[in-house]
Amino acid sequence: MSKPTITAFAASPDRGQGLARDMRVRWAFEEVGQPYDVRLVSFKEMKEPAHLGLHPFGQIPTYEEGNLVLFESGAIIFHIAERHAGLLPNDANARARAIGWMFAALNTVEPPVVELEQAEFIEGDKPWFKERLPGLKDRIRVRLTQLSKRLGRADWLDGAFSAGDLMMVMVLRRAEGTGLLEEHPNLVAYIARGEARPAYKRAFAAQLAVFTATQSTG
Ligand code: GTB
């Protein structure tokens, strides 16, 4: 495999908190020990033809490796996990379940979290937002409660750490600041277990370095 290149925000809107979706791809690379390059793109560049040729929706992250171009963090992590040991179990059924958790993170847990985030961003100053907020939070609360029950006292969602956990931890991190995670101490501990992994720490430091560099150079 030639060294892959991914794209990430040149100017991190989260100020280095590791919430943008290149963080999950960086973490996957670190878990499997695959070196990678990063090309930083501005918001303007993301909407220009060169980047749109890689990503039809003009977003990050993208993945380039030889002739292969991928977009969508889920597809990229699945690709990395398919080609390297360490993110998906060998047993066929366990592997299918781990992939199922990746989809659950992206399709079932992430949407209400993103909906709240976007509503705050787009409608936060509108008179109706205050009335909408409890409903938006309840939709997240339902999923967190169900997830918390399923996780119970286990370390990871289905046996050993997998790409399903990687994706779920990153999705849960996006709910930080809502006050909802704190209702489930086992989910808070689950996120902390993910963040304590050496691969996570290396990925976090790498994306933080982008923010730190842009700060120091103005
Ligand atoms: N479904 C796609 C995937 O999983 O790859 C979604 C990709 C996506 O939303 N990318 C975002 C993007 O490029 C960056 S991650 N946005 C620019 C655009 O659409 O024009 C989302 C994100 C952005 C900012 C923060 N933050 O500041 O905290 C967190 C997450």
Side-chain angles (χ1 to χ4, degrees):
M1 186 191 252
S2 58
K3 196 174 174 192
T5 298
I6 62 165
T7 49
F9 284 135
S12 166
D14 71 358
R15 307 179 63 80
Q17 291 179 73
L19 295 172
R21 287 180 174 90
D22 59 294
M23 172 62 202
R24 46 185 82 166
V25 176
R26 292 172 185 270
W27 185 7
F29 278 137
E30 293 291 348
E31 286 287 346
V32 302
Q34 169 67 52
Y36 62 100
D37 287 323
V38 180
R39 191 171 61 254
L40 301 176
V41 288
S42 66
F43 278 91
K44 183 171 171 286
E45 283 164 339
M46 278 192 279
K47 309 302 172 196
E48 287 172 352
H51 189 75
L52 288 170
L54 305 176
H55 196 310
F57 308 119
Q59 298 181 312
I60 59 98
T62 57
Y63 173 105
E64 293 156 76
E65 174 218 330
N67 292 330
L68 177 65
V69 176
L70 292 173
F71 57 93
E72 285 297 329
S73 58
I76 296 169
I77 291 168
F78 184 55
H79 175 75
I80 296 168
E82 284 272 272
R83 272 150 192 79
H84 299 269
L87 281 173
L88 287 173
N90 289 330
D91 173 77
N93 287 352
R95 194 176 182 90
R97 290 195 302 272
I99 294 165
W101 279 116
M102 288 180 68
F103 278 90
L106 295 174
N107 279 356
T108 304
V109 182
E110 189 166 48
V113 176
V114 170
E115 197 179 345
L116 170 65
E117 219 173 70
Q118 300 214 323
E120 275 170 343
F121 185 66
I122 296 165
E123 306 167 23
D125 58 348
K126 300 285 186 284
W128 63 80
F129 181 70
K130 236 168 63 190
E131 280 178 49
R132 223 187 138 204
L133 187 57
L136 288 167
K137 284 192 154 187
D138 275 348
R139 290 189 49 216
I140 301 175
R141 186 175 277 117
V142 168
R143 292 297 176 234
L144 295 186
T145 303
Q146 293 165 326
L147 185 69
S148 167
K149 273 196 189 126
R150 170 54 80 100
L151 178 66
R153 297 160 67 115
D155 279 354
W156 306 114
L157 288 166
D158 191 323
F161 174 84
S162 77
D165 294 296
L166 184 155
M167 200 62 95
M168 192 64 83
V169 166
M170 287 312 307
V171 164
L172 292 177
R173 278 215 53 221
R174 286 195 71 175
E176 285 169 0
T178 62
L180 297 169
L181 288 166
E182 290 71 13
E183 294 173 12
H184 303 287
N186 69 335
L187 293 185
V188 174
Y190 174 65
I191 296 169
R193 263 192 300 281
E195 290 173 329
R197 292 179 73 82
Y200 177 97
K201 290 184 181 171
R202 287 194 296 274
F204 187 89
Q207 67 76 36
L208 178 61
V210 176
F211 173 68
T212 313
T214 52
Q215 286 303 97
S216 60
T217 57

